[in-house]
Amino acid sequence: MSALPDTLCDLNGELLPLSQAKVSVLDRGFIFGDGLYEAIPVYGRRLFRFDDHMARLARNLDKLRIAPPPGLRSPADWLERVRRVIAAQPAEDQMLYIQITRGVAMRDHAMPTDIAPTVFIMSNPYKPVPAEARHQGVACVSARDFRWERGDIKATSLLGNVLARQIAVDQGAAETILFREGAHGGPWLTEGSSSNVWVVHEGALLGPPMNEHVLEGIRVALLRELCEEEGIAYNLRPISEADVRAADELLLSSSGREVLAVTKLDGDLVGHGALRGKPGPVYGRLYEAYQRAKREQSI
C-alpha cells in the first residue's frame, strides 16, 4: 500500500498531517458507519455552493440525531475551519471532504447521548472528468436498487453504493443507474451509485422526485436554476425504466462529475437520429451554464 500523504487535515480542530491522523477503534463511524459526510468542490480555492452543502449537513445531522459539533454551530464557523484545510492543500482546485460521526463509545446499537462527535476534514486535488469523456459521453449500466430505505441521508455507511458502483467497474462503465419497484409498479428510476440521474425528453430535463430512495444532491437545485436561466423546462416526477431507455439524452450530476452526458446504457446507444450515441444539446447548454455558475457562485 502506498504511504498516505503528509497533506494537513483537521481532526477535531487540530491540524495535523493526514498520515498521522488517528481515531479510536470504538468510534461509531468505524463500528457502525454511524455518521455522515459532505464533499464540496473547490475551484481556485473558492467553495462552490457552500451554503447549500451546509444546509444539507444540518438537515442530516438532525435526521441522525447528532448534535452540531461544539464550535461549529453556523456556516461561518465551518467556513473558518475548512479554509484552513483548503489553504494547506497545494492544488488550486480541490474536493473538500467533511465527515462527522456520532463519536466514541463502547459498542452498543443504541445511540449514546453523552459523547462528542468526531469531526474530520480533508481536501484532495480535484479530479476533473477527462476531456474525452466530456466530448464523447460515458457508458453506464443498470441494476436493481438493492440499497437501504434511507437513501436521502448522506450517511457514511455506503456499502450498498460501493457494491452498486462495482457493478459498473466490473463492466468497464462509468456508473450504475439504479431502478426500484414501487407501490405503483415500476421499475422506477432512483439514482446512480454516486450521482443523480436525469432524462431529457422533448427538450425538458426530468428527474425522479426527492424521497427516501434518492439523495437530494446539491446539483438538483442548481440544475433547476440553470434550466430557468436557459429556458429549459424542468420537472421532478416518477420516471420509469422505459422512459430512461427511450430518452433523448441521459445525464449524470454530482460534485465530481458536475454534469455529464451518458451516451450508452447497457450497451445500447442513448438518443435518436443523428445525435444517437452523442452528447446532446441540452447537456451542452447545461454544461456551459454550470461553468458560469462556478465562476459566479463560489466563495
Side-chain angles (χ1 to χ4, degrees):
M1 184 183 77
S2 60
L4 293 175
D6 286 329
T7 306
L8 293 181
C9 65
D10 182 301
L11 181 60
N12 294 324
E14 179 184 1
L15 277 178
L16 71 168
L18 187 62
S19 58
Q20 297 178 23
K22 303 290 188 295
V23 296
S24 170
V25 294
L26 289 177
D27 192 282
R28 287 179 63 92
F30 177 72
I31 295 289
F32 293 116
D34 185 3
L36 53 88
Y37 72 101
E38 284 290 332
I40 309 176
V42 178
Y43 301 111
R45 300 189 180 278
R46 298 166 65 217
L47 292 137
F48 184 50
R49 306 282 288 200
F50 176 73
D51 288 344
D52 289 350
H53 281 279
M54 288 297 99
R56 184 172 65 181
L57 181 69
R59 291 195 301 271
N60 281 296
L61 283 170
D62 186 60
K63 289 177 182 179
L64 292 185
R65 295 162 65 177
I66 297 176
L72 295 171
R73 304 287 181 177
S74 71
D77 295 334
W78 278 105
L79 190 58
E80 180 180 359
R81 180 79 67 89
V82 303
R83 278 185 165 156
R84 296 194 307 166
V85 178
I86 293 169
Q89 168 59 250
E92 290 293 307
D93 294 345
Q94 306 173 26
M95 185 63 74
L96 181 80
Y97 180 83
I98 299 171
Q99 177 172 303
I100 304 172
T101 74
R102 196 174 304 277
V104 179
M106 293 303 295
R107 189 180 187 279
D108 187 332
H109 284 70
M111 297 177 181
T113 59
D114 57 349
I115 58 175
T118 299
V119 180
F120 171 64
I121 308 168
M122 67 175 177
S123 195
N124 296 310
Y126 184 84
K127 296 180 180 179
V129 173
E132 182 180 7
R134 284 272 172 232
H135 178 69
Q136 297 182 358
V138 296
C140 293
V141 295
S142 66
R144 177 180 62 85
D145 192 344
F146 48 78
R147 303 167 306 157
W148 72 319
E149 296 289 331
R150 292 307 306 269
D152 59 307
I153 300 175
K154 199 170 179 67
T156 57
S157 45
L158 289 170
L159 182 58
N161 299 69
V162 168
L163 292 172
R165 180 62 175 276
Q166 193 62 37
I167 293 171
V169 171
D170 290 343
Q171 298 182 58
E175 177 63 298
T176 303
I177 294 176
L178 300 169
F179 297 94
R180 180 183 289 268
E181 298 291 339
H184 304 288
W188 303 104
L189 173 67
T190 53
E191 58 186 2
S193 68
S194 61
S195 58
N196 290 107
V197 181
W198 304 87
V199 168
V200 176
H201 177 67
E202 295 182 349
L205 185 71
L206 308 176
M210 298 298 102
N211 56 35
E212 70 275 15
H213 301 135
V214 180
L215 179 69
E216 186 173 355
I218 300 303
R219 271 126 290 276
V220 172
L222 172 60
L223 287 179
R224 181 181 66 245
E225 295 171 14
L226 298 183
C227 283
E228 290 175 358
E229 293 175 10
E230 293 292 314
I232 298 169
Y234 172 101
N235 190 24
L236 300 183
R237 63 162 177 80
I239 297 174
S240 69
E241 182 175 0
D243 291 334
V244 173
R245 298 193 184 279
D248 299 326
E249 301 178 44
L250 287 180
L251 309 178
L252 305 176
S253 66
S254 69
S255 57
R257 294 183 171 105
E258 299 181 350
V259 58
L260 182 61
V262 177
T263 51
K264 186 181 289 186
L265 178 60
D266 293 330
D268 295 327
L269 297 179
V270 174
H272 310 283
L275 290 175
R276 187 166 181 260
K278 299 177 182 179
V282 171
Y283 162 71
R285 292 168 64 188
L286 290 175
Y287 176 72
E288 290 302 321
Y290 197 109
Q291 305 315 302
R292 182 174 66 249
K294 285 161 54 176
R295 296 189 295 270
E296 297 174 351
Q297 300 181 21
S298 298
I299 61 172

mmCIF file of all heavy atoms in Angstrom, residues 218-252:
data_model
loop_
_atom_site.group_PDB
_atom_site.id
_atom_site.type_symbol
_atom_site.label_atom_id
_atom_site.label_comp_id
_atom_site.label_asym_id
_atom_site.label_seq_id
_atom_site.Cartn_x
_atom_site.Cartn_y
_atom_site.Cartn_z
ATOM 1 N N ILE A 218 -26.806 18.439 -4.282
ATOM 2 C CA ILE A 218 -26.765 19.896 -4.361
ATOM 3 C C ILE A 218 -27.060 20.354 -5.785
ATOM 4 O O ILE A 218 -27.641 21.413 -6.019
ATOM 5 C CB ILE A 218 -25.393 20.411 -3.895
ATOM 6 C CG1 ILE A 218 -25.132 19.983 -2.445
ATOM 7 C CG2 ILE A 218 -25.289 21.923 -4.042
ATOM 8 C CD1 ILE A 218 -26.184 20.447 -1.462
ATOM 9 N N ARG A 219 -26.730 19.530 -6.755
ATOM 10 C CA ARG A 219 -26.965 19.892 -8.149
ATOM 11 C C ARG A 219 -28.434 19.787 -8.563
ATOM 12 O O ARG A 219 -28.812 20.266 -9.627
ATOM 13 C CB ARG A 219 -26.094 19.027 -9.068
ATOM 14 C CG ARG A 219 -24.718 19.665 -9.303
ATOM 15 C CD ARG A 219 -23.581 18.749 -8.968
ATOM 16 N NE ARG A 219 -23.461 18.532 -7.561
ATOM 17 C CZ ARG A 219 -22.795 19.373 -6.717
ATOM 18 N NH1 ARG A 219 -22.208 20.428 -7.184
ATOM 19 N NH2 ARG A 219 -22.720 19.108 -5.428
ATOM 20 N N VAL A 220 -29.289 19.208 -7.716
ATOM 21 C CA VAL A 220 -30.717 19.173 -8.040
ATOM 22 C C VAL A 220 -31.270 20.596 -8.100
ATOM 23 O O VAL A 220 -31.927 20.997 -9.066
ATOM 24 C CB VAL A 220 -31.490 18.304 -7.024
ATOM 25 C CG1 VAL A 220 -32.993 18.430 -7.240
ATOM 26 C CG2 VAL A 220 -31.059 16.843 -7.149
ATOM 27 N N ALA A 221 -31.012 21.369 -7.051
ATOM 28 C CA ALA A 221 -31.455 22.759 -7.055
ATOM 29 C C ALA A 221 -30.676 23.590 -8.066
ATOM 30 O O ALA A 221 -31.240 24.469 -8.739
ATOM 31 C CB ALA A 221 -31.299 23.363 -5.659
ATOM 32 N N LEU A 222 -29.387 23.301 -8.197
ATOM 33 C CA LEU A 222 -28.570 24.056 -9.147
ATOM 34 C C LEU A 222 -29.079 23.870 -10.570
ATOM 35 O O LEU A 222 -29.239 24.850 -11.322
ATOM 36 C CB LEU A 222 -27.111 23.610 -9.054
ATOM 37 C CG LEU A 222 -26.168 24.177 -10.116
ATOM 38 C CD1 LEU A 222 -26.122 25.689 -10.066
ATOM 39 C CD2 LEU A 222 -24.775 23.582 -9.956
ATOM 40 N N LEU A 223 -29.377 22.645 -10.974
ATOM 41 C CA LEU A 223 -29.854 22.415 -12.340
ATOM 42 C C LEU A 223 -31.216 23.048 -12.565
ATOM 43 O O LEU A 223 -31.512 23.501 -13.675
ATOM 44 C CB LEU A 223 -29.879 20.916 -12.646
ATOM 45 C CG LEU A 223 -28.495 20.275 -12.843
ATOM 46 C CD1 LEU A 223 -28.631 18.779 -13.120
ATOM 47 C CD2 LEU A 223 -27.724 20.943 -13.974
ATOM 48 N N ARG A 224 -32.045 23.091 -11.540
ATOM 49 C CA ARG A 224 -33.317 23.799 -11.680
ATOM 50 C C ARG A 224 -33.059 25.273 -11.996
ATOM 51 O O ARG A 224 -33.683 25.843 -12.895
ATOM 52 C CB ARG A 224 -34.154 23.670 -10.408
ATOM 53 C CG ARG A 224 -35.519 24.370 -10.514
ATOM 54 C CD ARG A 224 -36.337 24.251 -9.251
ATOM 55 N NE ARG A 224 -35.729 24.948 -8.142
ATOM 56 C CZ ARG A 224 -35.255 24.365 -7.038
ATOM 57 N NH1 ARG A 224 -35.329 23.052 -6.913
ATOM 58 N NH2 ARG A 224 -34.715 25.072 -6.068
ATOM 59 N N GLU A 225 -32.126 25.885 -11.279
ATOM 60 C CA GLU A 225 -31.786 27.285 -11.529
ATOM 61 C C GLU A 225 -31.211 27.479 -12.923
ATOM 62 O O GLU A 225 -31.553 28.441 -13.627
ATOM 63 C CB GLU A 225 -30.782 27.760 -10.478
ATOM 64 C CG GLU A 225 -31.336 27.790 -9.068
ATOM 65 C CD GLU A 225 -30.251 28.054 -8.036
ATOM 66 O OE1 GLU A 225 -29.139 28.473 -8.443
ATOM 67 O OE2 GLU A 225 -30.508 27.848 -6.838
ATOM 68 N N LEU A 226 -30.326 26.569 -13.331
ATOM 69 C CA LEU A 226 -29.710 26.704 -14.651
ATOM 70 C C LEU A 226 -30.737 26.513 -15.760
ATOM 71 O O LEU A 226 -30.669 27.190 -16.799
ATOM 72 C CB LEU A 226 -28.563 25.699 -14.801
ATOM 73 C CG LEU A 226 -27.398 25.854 -13.817
ATOM 74 C CD1 LEU A 226 -26.306 24.841 -14.126
ATOM 75 C CD2 LEU A 226 -26.847 27.267 -13.820
ATOM 76 N N CYS A 227 -31.692 25.602 -15.537
ATOM 77 C CA CYS A 227 -32.757 25.426 -16.529
ATOM 78 C C CYS A 227 -33.590 26.699 -16.653
ATOM 79 O O CYS A 227 -33.974 27.095 -17.768
ATOM 80 C CB CYS A 227 -33.640 24.240 -16.146
ATOM 81 S SG CYS A 227 -32.919 22.623 -16.516
ATOM 82 N N GLU A 228 -33.878 27.349 -15.538
ATOM 83 C CA GLU A 228 -34.636 28.603 -15.587
ATOM 84 C C GLU A 228 -33.864 29.657 -16.377
ATOM 85 O O GLU A 228 -34.443 30.380 -17.201
ATOM 86 C CB GLU A 228 -34.916 29.098 -14.173
ATOM 87 C CG GLU A 228 -35.917 28.243 -13.403
ATOM 88 C CD GLU A 228 -36.076 28.690 -11.967
ATOM 89 O OE1 GLU A 228 -35.372 29.642 -11.558
ATOM 90 O OE2 GLU A 228 -36.908 28.092 -11.245
ATOM 91 N N GLU A 229 -32.563 29.741 -16.151
ATOM 92 C CA GLU A 229 -31.747 30.709 -16.869
ATOM 93 C C GLU A 229 -31.714 30.418 -18.368
ATOM 94 O O GLU A 229 -31.708 31.343 -19.189
ATOM 95 C CB GLU A 229 -30.320 30.690 -16.319
ATOM 96 C CG GLU A 229 -30.183 31.189 -14.893
ATOM 97 C CD GLU A 229 -28.770 31.025 -14.369
ATOM 98 O OE1 GLU A 229 -27.865 30.694 -15.182
ATOM 99 O OE2 GLU A 229 -28.558 31.231 -13.156
ATOM 100 N N GLU A 230 -31.686 29.138 -18.728
ATOM 101 C CA GLU A 230 -31.535 28.735 -20.116
ATOM 102 C C GLU A 230 -32.868 28.543 -20.839
ATOM 103 O O GLU A 230 -32.882 28.233 -22.029
ATOM 104 C CB GLU A 230 -30.732 27.428 -20.191
ATOM 105 C CG GLU A 230 -29.276 27.569 -19.767
ATOM 106 C CD GLU A 230 -28.492 28.410 -20.745
ATOM 107 O OE1 GLU A 230 -28.622 28.177 -21.967
ATOM 108 O OE2 GLU A 230 -27.750 29.315 -20.298
ATOM 109 N N GLY A 231 -33.984 28.693 -20.120
ATOM 110 C CA GLY A 231 -35.279 28.478 -20.738
ATOM 111 C C GLY A 231 -35.558 27.024 -21.057
ATOM 112 O O GLY A 231 -36.258 26.698 -22.023
ATOM 113 N N ILE A 232 -35.037 26.124 -20.226
ATOM 114 C CA ILE A 232 -35.245 24.687 -20.394
ATOM 115 C C ILE A 232 -36.304 24.231 -19.391
ATOM 116 O O ILE A 232 -36.198 24.527 -18.192
ATOM 117 C CB ILE A 232 -33.931 23.911 -20.165
ATOM 118 C CG1 ILE A 232 -32.869 24.312 -21.202
ATOM 119 C CG2 ILE A 232 -34.169 22.401 -20.199
ATOM 120 C CD1 ILE A 232 -31.479 23.791 -20.886
ATOM 121 N N ALA A 233 -37.318 23.545 -19.851
ATOM 122 C CA ALA A 233 -38.345 23.023 -18.941
ATOM 123 C C ALA A 233 -37.708 22.025 -17.975
ATOM 124 O O ALA A 233 -36.824 21.243 -18.353
ATOM 125 C CB ALA A 233 -39.463 22.361 -19.732
ATOM 126 N N TYR A 234 -38.197 22.032 -16.713
ATOM 127 C CA TYR A 234 -37.614 21.218 -15.646
ATOM 128 C C TYR A 234 -38.750 20.632 -14.816
ATOM 129 O O TYR A 234 -39.678 21.351 -14.451
ATOM 130 C CB TYR A 234 -36.710 22.106 -14.788
ATOM 131 C CG TYR A 234 -36.166 21.483 -13.515
ATOM 132 C CD1 TYR A 234 -34.863 21.001 -13.468
ATOM 133 C CD2 TYR A 234 -36.932 21.422 -12.347
ATOM 134 C CE1 TYR A 234 -34.339 20.463 -12.297
ATOM 135 C CE2 TYR A 234 -36.425 20.878 -11.180
ATOM 136 C CZ TYR A 234 -35.119 20.410 -11.155
ATOM 137 O OH TYR A 234 -34.607 19.876 -10.005
ATOM 138 N N ASN A 235 -38.653 19.344 -14.515
ATOM 139 C CA ASN A 235 -39.711 18.728 -13.718
ATOM 140 C C ASN A 235 -39.163 17.518 -12.985
ATOM 141 O O ASN A 235 -38.353 16.755 -13.543
ATOM 142 C CB ASN A 235 -40.874 18.293 -14.617
ATOM 143 C CG ASN A 235 -42.101 17.873 -13.811
ATOM 144 O OD1 ASN A 235 -42.281 18.299 -12.665
ATOM 145 N ND2 ASN A 235 -42.938 17.044 -14.391
ATOM 146 N N LEU A 236 -39.581 17.345 -11.731
ATOM 147 C CA LEU A 236 -39.281 16.144 -10.965
ATOM 148 C C LEU A 236 -40.553 15.318 -10.885
ATOM 149 O O LEU A 236 -41.562 15.786 -10.370
ATOM 150 C CB LEU A 236 -38.791 16.501 -9.552
ATOM 151 C CG LEU A 236 -37.526 17.355 -9.445
ATOM 152 C CD1 LEU A 236 -37.149 17.546 -7.975
ATOM 153 C CD2 LEU A 236 -36.373 16.745 -10.220
ATOM 154 N N ARG A 237 -40.501 14.108 -11.398
ATOM 155 C CA ARG A 237 -41.670 13.229 -11.417
ATOM 156 C C ARG A 237 -41.187 11.786 -11.524
ATOM 157 O O ARG A 237 -40.026 11.529 -11.869
ATOM 158 C CB ARG A 237 -42.572 13.556 -12.606
ATOM 159 C CG ARG A 237 -41.941 13.336 -13.974
ATOM 160 C CD ARG A 237 -43.004 13.250 -15.046
ATOM 161 N NE ARG A 237 -42.511 13.106 -16.397
ATOM 162 C CZ ARG A 237 -42.085 11.971 -16.958
ATOM 163 N NH1 ARG A 237 -42.022 10.857 -16.227
ATOM 164 N NH2 ARG A 237 -41.692 11.939 -18.218
ATOM 165 N N PRO A 238 -42.067 10.797 -11.220
ATOM 166 C CA PRO A 238 -41.639 9.408 -11.378
ATOM 167 C C PRO A 238 -41.216 9.126 -12.818
ATOM 168 O O PRO A 238 -41.897 9.523 -13.775
ATOM 169 C CB PRO A 238 -42.892 8.612 -10.999
ATOM 170 C CG PRO A 238 -43.651 9.532 -10.090
ATOM 171 C CD PRO A 238 -43.415 10.910 -10.636
ATOM 172 N N ILE A 239 -40.086 8.458 -12.965
ATOM 173 C CA ILE A 239 -39.535 8.147 -14.288
ATOM 174 C C ILE A 239 -39.360 6.636 -14.377
ATOM 175 O O ILE A 239 -38.627 6.030 -13.587
ATOM 176 C CB ILE A 239 -38.187 8.859 -14.502
ATOM 177 C CG1 ILE A 239 -38.375 10.378 -14.464
ATOM 178 C CG2 ILE A 239 -37.557 8.443 -15.825
ATOM 179 C CD1 ILE A 239 -37.092 11.163 -14.510
ATOM 180 N N SER A 240 -40.041 6.036 -15.341
ATOM 181 C CA SER A 240 -39.980 4.586 -15.494
ATOM 182 C C SER A 240 -38.688 4.173 -16.202
ATOM 183 O O SER A 240 -38.020 4.983 -16.859
ATOM 184 C CB SER A 240 -41.183 4.088 -16.289
ATOM 185 O OG SER A 240 -41.087 4.505 -17.645
ATOM 186 N N GLU A 241 -38.370 2.908 -16.088
ATOM 187 C CA GLU A 241 -37.212 2.384 -16.813
ATOM 188 C C GLU A 241 -37.410 2.562 -18.314
ATOM 189 O O GLU A 241 -36.461 2.874 -19.040
ATOM 190 C CB GLU A 241 -36.992 0.915 -16.474
ATOM 191 C CG GLU A 241 -35.766 0.322 -17.161
ATOM 192 C CD GLU A 241 -35.473 -1.097 -16.735
ATOM 193 O OE1 GLU A 241 -36.228 -1.638 -15.890
ATOM 194 O OE2 GLU A 241 -34.496 -1.667 -17.239
ATOM 195 N N ALA A 242 -38.639 2.409 -18.783
ATOM 196 C CA ALA A 242 -38.913 2.606 -20.210
ATOM 197 C C ALA A 242 -38.624 4.050 -20.623
ATOM 198 O O ALA A 242 -38.092 4.296 -21.716
ATOM 199 C CB ALA A 242 -40.366 2.242 -20.516
ATOM 200 N N ASP A 243 -38.956 5.022 -19.746
ATOM 201 C CA ASP A 243 -38.644 6.426 -20.036
ATOM 202 C C ASP A 243 -37.143 6.625 -20.187
ATOM 203 O O ASP A 243 -36.688 7.376 -21.063
ATOM 204 C CB ASP A 243 -39.146 7.334 -18.907
ATOM 205 C CG ASP A 243 -40.657 7.411 -18.824
ATOM 206 O OD1 ASP A 243 -41.325 7.201 -19.853
ATOM 207 O OD2 ASP A 243 -41.168 7.690 -17.719
ATOM 208 N N VAL A 244 -36.387 5.984 -19.321
ATOM 209 C CA VAL A 244 -34.928 6.132 -19.362
ATOM 210 C C VAL A 244 -34.380 5.568 -20.668
ATOM 211 O O VAL A 244 -33.560 6.197 -21.346
ATOM 212 C CB VAL A 244 -34.280 5.429 -18.149
ATOM 213 C CG1 VAL A 244 -32.756 5.417 -18.275
ATOM 214 C CG2 VAL A 244 -34.701 6.124 -16.859
ATOM 215 N N ARG A 245 -34.854 4.406 -21.036
ATOM 216 C CA ARG A 245 -34.296 3.755 -22.230
ATOM 217 C C ARG A 245 -34.763 4.431 -23.523
ATOM 218 O O ARG A 245 -34.127 4.266 -24.565
ATOM 219 C CB ARG A 245 -34.651 2.270 -22.217
ATOM 220 C CG ARG A 245 -34.044 1.559 -21.008
ATOM 221 C CD ARG A 245 -34.088 0.060 -21.093
ATOM 222 N NE ARG A 245 -33.589 -0.543 -19.867
ATOM 223 C CZ ARG A 245 -32.298 -0.718 -19.562
ATOM 224 N NH1 ARG A 245 -31.375 -0.320 -20.418
ATOM 225 N NH2 ARG A 245 -31.940 -1.267 -18.417
ATOM 226 N N ALA A 246 -35.838 5.213 -23.448
ATOM 227 C CA ALA A 246 -36.322 5.928 -24.636
ATOM 228 C C ALA A 246 -35.895 7.399 -24.647
ATOM 229 O O ALA A 246 -36.336 8.162 -25.504
ATOM 230 C CB ALA A 246 -37.844 5.836 -24.705
ATOM 231 N N ALA A 247 -35.038 7.794 -23.717
ATOM 232 C CA ALA A 247 -34.693 9.202 -23.549
ATOM 233 C C ALA A 247 -33.982 9.774 -24.772
ATOM 234 O O ALA A 247 -33.263 9.074 -25.486
ATOM 235 C CB ALA A 247 -33.798 9.369 -22.320
ATOM 236 N N ASP A 248 -34.177 11.077 -24.976
ATOM 237 C CA ASP A 248 -33.401 11.785 -25.995
ATOM 238 C C ASP A 248 -31.964 11.978 -25.519
ATOM 239 O O ASP A 248 -31.029 11.920 -26.316
ATOM 240 C CB ASP A 248 -34.031 13.152 -26.280
ATOM 241 C CG ASP A 248 -35.448 13.032 -26.816
ATOM 242 O OD1 ASP A 248 -35.729 12.068 -27.553
ATOM 243 O OD2 ASP A 248 -36.278 13.899 -26.483
ATOM 244 N N GLU A 249 -31.807 12.254 -24.208
ATOM 245 C CA GLU A 249 -30.493 12.371 -23.592
ATOM 246 C C GLU A 249 -30.578 11.831 -22.171
ATOM 247 O O GLU A 249 -31.642 11.877 -21.543
ATOM 248 C CB GLU A 249 -30.025 13.834 -23.514
ATOM 249 C CG GLU A 249 -29.908 14.562 -24.835
ATOM 250 C CD GLU A 249 -29.480 16.016 -24.637
ATOM 251 O OE1 GLU A 249 -28.557 16.260 -23.814
ATOM 252 O OE2 GLU A 249 -30.077 16.901 -25.283
ATOM 253 N N LEU A 250 -29.465 11.328 -21.674
ATOM 254 C CA LEU A 250 -29.323 10.958 -20.265
ATOM 255 C C LEU A 250 -28.146 11.735 -19.689
ATOM 256 O O LEU A 250 -27.107 11.861 -20.352
ATOM 257 C CB LEU A 250 -29.060 9.458 -20.092
ATOM 258 C CG LEU A 250 -30.202 8.483 -20.315
ATOM 259 C CD1 LEU A 250 -29.707 7.050 -20.087
ATOM 260 C CD2 LEU A 250 -31.364 8.789 -19.397
ATOM 261 N N LEU A 251 -28.309 12.219 -18.456
ATOM 262 C CA LEU A 251 -27.248 12.983 -17.811
ATOM 263 C C LEU A 251 -27.016 12.476 -16.394
ATOM 264 O O LEU A 251 -27.932 11.978 -15.736
ATOM 265 C CB LEU A 251 -27.617 14.472 -17.738
ATOM 266 C CG LEU A 251 -28.073 15.185 -19.007
ATOM 267 C CD1 LEU A 251 -28.425 16.627 -18.700
ATOM 268 C CD2 LEU A 251 -27.010 15.099 -20.082
ATOM 269 N N LEU A 252 -25.785 12.623 -15.938
ATOM 270 C CA LEU A 252 -25.430 12.407 -14.538
ATOM 271 C C LEU A 252 -25.040 13.750 -13.929
ATOM 272 O O LEU A 252 -24.517 14.621 -14.631
ATOM 273 C CB LEU A 252 -24.230 11.459 -14.414
ATOM 274 C CG LEU A 252 -24.305 10.089 -15.070
ATOM 275 C CD1 LEU A 252 -22.969 9.367 -14.906
ATOM 276 C CD2 LEU A 252 -25.440 9.261 -14.495
#
